Amino acid sequence: MAKTVPAPVAPPLPTRYEDALNELERLVSTMEAGQLPLDQLLTQYERGAELLNFCRSRLEAVEQQVKVLENGQLKPWPPA
């Protein structure tokens, strides 16, 4: 009888934007190094896509909050 290997459980997404961005940057760096086997590369790519979607949704949520604070009009950020 063949043994089935359970699929690895993906870690939960970070709760903070900054943590997700840091993890995404580490993943990109690892992937760009070109040292991962193909199956790990695919897994890392999928995780990166999840993190990217999380970051985008957090940025969109913040943008909506800024619009509310600015009476429905998104204004440019002042230069730092």
Side-chain angles (χ1 to χ4, degrees), residues 2 8 15 25 31 37-38 40 44 46 49 59-61 66 73 77 80:
T15 56
E25 288 173 344
M31 291 170 68
L38 185 59
Q40 286 183 3
Q44 297 297 318
E46 291 169 347
L59 288 173
E60 288 173 4
V66 170
Q73 295 181 5
W77 293 99

Side-chain angles (χ1 to χ4, degrees), residues 5-11 39 43 46:
V5 177
V9 177
D39 59 334
T43 301
E46 291 169 347

Side-chain angles (χ1 to χ4, degrees), residues 17-77:
Y17 171 83
E18 292 81 4
D19 296 336
L21 185 59
N22 286 334
E23 183 180 345
L24 183 57
E25 288 173 344
R26 284 191 306 271
L27 281 175
V28 169
S29 179
T30 302
M31 291 170 68
E32 286 178 342
Q35 300 299 316
L36 293 174
L38 185 59
D39 59 334
Q40 286 183 3
L41 185 62
L42 179 59
T43 301
Q44 297 297 318
Y45 178 83
E46 291 169 347
R47 177 67 176 175
E50 291 173 348
L51 291 166
L52 182 59
N53 287 334
F54 172 81
C55 288
R56 282 182 177 159
S57 68
R58 294 294 296 150
L59 288 173
E60 288 173 4
V62 169
E63 183 178 339
Q64 291 304 315
Q65 290 174 346
V66 170
K67 282 182 183 179
V68 168
L69 292 173
E70 297 291 336
N71 294 322
Q73 295 181 5
L74 185 59
K75 298 178 182 176
W77 293 99

